[in-house]
């Protein structure tokens, strides 16, 4: 079964760029029916969809974040990545990667990684 | 902007039935599929309902989902409550420009 695991720094300074990678195991990231997504959850708050990438490189971003986001895919390593620029404390959250399908059903999810924005 | 509104919390006793609502702010919630996720503390969300009323394998039939177009809302019903059902539950859908989650409902089974 497909499993996802996030990795990256747990602490980022304000105004810098947050960078995370999601490694997919148990299946191919080039699966034609999967939309590889990032979703975040600020501590004690709800979930916010960040965006997704298709294995071909097509992306779709949350309109409220799209000016600061780049999601990329590395099919040779079965990974996809998130870059979020100009971060502030409001970007502190647990960042999850997840597999989505055509109707935006996200399953499974990675365990999530906490990223704190602080100087 | 389209939003999904859930009650902040609900509580019920073991063995009883509880329903969690998810109300769309505009348009028709029936236009696109609604998913429901369960999240226990410190864990990633897992699906309990997808495509309005479908259960993934392994999810007991105590969990059911429905759509009510008249109230523009989706509902998650859990019957025969167990203490292990205590968790946060999020609804999720999408519109033409975005994917949206409800704010989440904390279910307490006491």
């Amino acid at each position: 079964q497909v499993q996802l695991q996030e990795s990256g720094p747990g602490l980022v300074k304000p105004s810098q760029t947050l960078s995370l990678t999601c490694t997919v195991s148990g299946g191919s990231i080039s699966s034609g029916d999967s939309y590889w997504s990032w979703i975040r959850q600020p501590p004690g708050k709800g979930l916010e969809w960040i965006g997704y990438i298709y294995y071909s490189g097509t992306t779709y971003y949350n309109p409220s974040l799209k000016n600061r986001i780049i999601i990329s895919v590395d099919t040779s390593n079965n990974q996809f990545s998130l870059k979020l620029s100009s971060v502030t404390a409001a970007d502190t959250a647990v960042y999850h990667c997840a597999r989505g399908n055509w109707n935006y059903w996200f399953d499974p999810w990675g365990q999530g990684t906490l990223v704190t924005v602080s100087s | 902007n389209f939003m999904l509104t859930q009650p902040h919390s609900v509580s019920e006793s073991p063995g009883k039935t509880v329903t969690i609502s998810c109300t769309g702010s505009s348009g028709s919630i029936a236009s696109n599929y609604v998913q429901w996720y369960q999240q226990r503390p410190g864990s990633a969300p897992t699906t309990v309902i997808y495509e309005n009323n479908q259960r993934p394998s392994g999810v007991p039939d105590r969990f059911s989902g429905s759509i009510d177009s008249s109230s523009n809302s989706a509902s998650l019903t859990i019957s025969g409550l167990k203490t292990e059902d205590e968790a946060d539950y999020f609804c999720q859908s999408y519109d033409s420009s975005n994917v949206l989650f409800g704010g989440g409902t904390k279910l307490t089974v006491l």
Side-chain angles (χ1 to χ4, degrees):
Chain A
Q1 69 203 36
V2 171
Q3 293 183 308
L4 298 94
Q5 179 66 57
E6 307 86 352
S7 59
L11 181 63
V12 180
K13 289 182 167 51
S15 80
Q16 294 191 343
T17 295
L18 177 160
S19 296
L20 295 173
T21 295
C22 181
T23 300
V24 179
S25 59
S28 173
I29 203 167
S30 299
S31 170
D33 58 355
S34 299
Y35 297 78
W36 303 100
S37 299
W38 288 99
I39 297 161
R40 70 180 182 179
Q41 186 172 26
K45 296 188 179 180
L47 297 159
E48 180 179 34
W49 177 73
I50 298 170
Y52 75 65
I53 189 164
Y54 195 55
Y55 78 95
S56 64
T58 299
T59 54
Y60 194 50
Y61 298 148
N62 184 322
S64 67
L65 296 170
K66 67 177 182 178
N67 292 334
R68 298 196 290 132
I69 299 171
I70 297 174
I71 298 177
S72 58
V73 65
D74 179 356
T75 55
S76 61
N77 287 309
N78 233 31
Q79 296 176 328
F80 64 105
S81 298
L82 168 70
K83 292 188 184 300
L84 178 65
S85 62
S86 304
V87 298
T88 69
D91 295 309
T92 293
V94 174
Y95 285 76
H96 295 277
C97 55
R99 180 182 64 180
N101 71 352
W102 66 274
N103 66 6
Y104 300 103
W105 170 30
F106 301 107
D107 191 88
W109 297 53
Q111 183 64 25
T113 186
L114 174 62
V115 179
T116 301
V117 178
S118 174
S119 55
Chain B
N1 289 341
F2 183 59
M3 294 175 59
L4 297 171
T5 300
Q6 300 180 234
H8 181 70
S9 62
V10 295
S11 61
E12 190 50 271
S13 303
K16 299 292 189 178
T17 296
V18 70
T19 297
I20 300 172
S21 62
C22 172
T23 303
S25 61
S26 62
S28 173
I29 201 168
S31 297
N32 297 305
Y33 286 120
V34 175
Q35 276 70 240
W36 288 91
Y37 303 95
Q38 177 192 70
Q39 186 178 35
R40 296 192 174 98
S43 297
T46 59
T47 310
V48 291
I49 294 290
Y50 69 98
E51 295 179 1
N52 297 340
N53 55 19
Q54 302 299 302
R55 281 188 312 277
S57 60
V59 174
D61 60 6
R62 301 185 296 106
F63 290 80
S64 62
S66 63
I67 299 291
D68 182 353
S69 297
S70 65
S71 61
N72 206 36
S73 64
S75 293
L76 171 68
T77 299
I78 311 171
S79 60
L81 275 169
K82 300 184 177 183
T83 55
E84 67 204 46
D85 298 331
E86 187 162 292
D88 293 329
Y89 291 85
F90 295 89
C91 61
Q92 174 256 311
S93 189
Y94 53 97
D95 65 10
S96 60
S97 62
N98 207 354
V99 175
L100 303 123
F101 290 89
T105 298
K106 181 176 180 58
L107 170 63
T108 301
V109 181
L110 40 65

